[in-house]
Amino acid sequence: MKGTSREAIKRFKALKKISVVVLSSAAVFSITLPAQAVESIAPRYIAFDGKQYEYYSKAISKQPTWQHTAYNKGSSTTQKVTYKVSREKYVKGSVSTAAEFGLMKTAVKVSAEVGIGKTVTESTTVSFAIPPKKNANLAYGSQKVTTSGYIVTYSRGNVQSKKAINGNWTYSAYSSMSEF
């Protein structure tokens, strides 16, 4: 069954290539074709009416809000440390409506922790285990996305308007430890 489907797809693609060659030849050599032949091989398009976000820049990065160096070089045992830390969850930029922000999130494929125009401070505790005979750089903060682009409005597949827009928002917390 699968082999038959593949063969049918190959035949369809070959027929499609042949029809493009026939139409091109007809145009170059001014050959007239019957109307039925032209209609059966004419390209079709799907009309699109609506809005979408089209970005020209997208950057995902870490934004540390707390950093610390923990020392355990002189010890032969693992040192467990706990710190109280905080960070901001936010949505900022020129994005002004929830609908526009929804289009942005869909296009860049990154969710948000809070709603549009909101900033929330979150406090928590983080724990690390510093290995014996090591020191470590510790960090805690937010993972964020920054994007710029356009909200594009289409009517029947044609661009009707473009609105420049940018946004940056946090999508999760992170903590890291690098030993030295």
Side-chain angles (χ1 to χ4, degrees), residues 36-139:
Q36 296 86 1
V38 174
E39 286 177 16
S40 67
I41 56 177
R44 306 260 188 243
Y45 76 96
I46 298 172
F48 173 67
D49 292 329
K51 294 181 179 185
Q52 67 182 31
Y53 177 69
E54 298 175 4
Y55 63 89
Y56 56 82
S57 73
K58 170 186 164 183
I60 294 178
S61 60
K62 292 182 177 177
Q63 179 180 4
T65 55
W66 175 85
Q67 295 177 328
H68 179 72
T69 302
Y71 299 95
N72 197 25
K73 199 95 165 162
S75 176
S76 59
T77 60
T78 298
Q79 180 184 7
K80 294 184 180 179
V81 293
T82 301
Y83 300 95
K84 184 170 181 163
V85 295
S86 63
R87 70 180 183 94
E88 283 187 342
K89 302 176 183 181
Y90 59 83
V91 175
K92 299 177 182 177
S94 65
V95 60
S96 58
T97 68
E100 288 177 345
F101 188 51
L103 293 171
M104 290 178 87
K105 291 188 299 184
T106 300
V108 299
K109 298 181 175 104
V110 179
S111 63
E113 297 178 293
V114 294
I116 185 170
K118 298 208 187 290
T119 301
V120 177
T121 301
E122 172 189 72
S123 295
T124 189
T125 57
V126 291
S127 299
F128 300 93
I130 315 303
K133 307 288 185 200
K134 296 280 185 181
N135 296 330
N137 290 320
L138 312 175

Side-chain angles (χ1 to χ4, degrees), residues 1-18:
M1 186 83 171
K2 287 182 182 178
T4 307
S5 300
R6 288 186 185 143
E7 290 171 14
I9 291 171
K10 285 181 184 178
R11 282 195 301 271
F12 176 74
K13 286 181 180 179
L15 180 60
K16 192 172 163 184
K17 287 179 186 177
I18 291 169

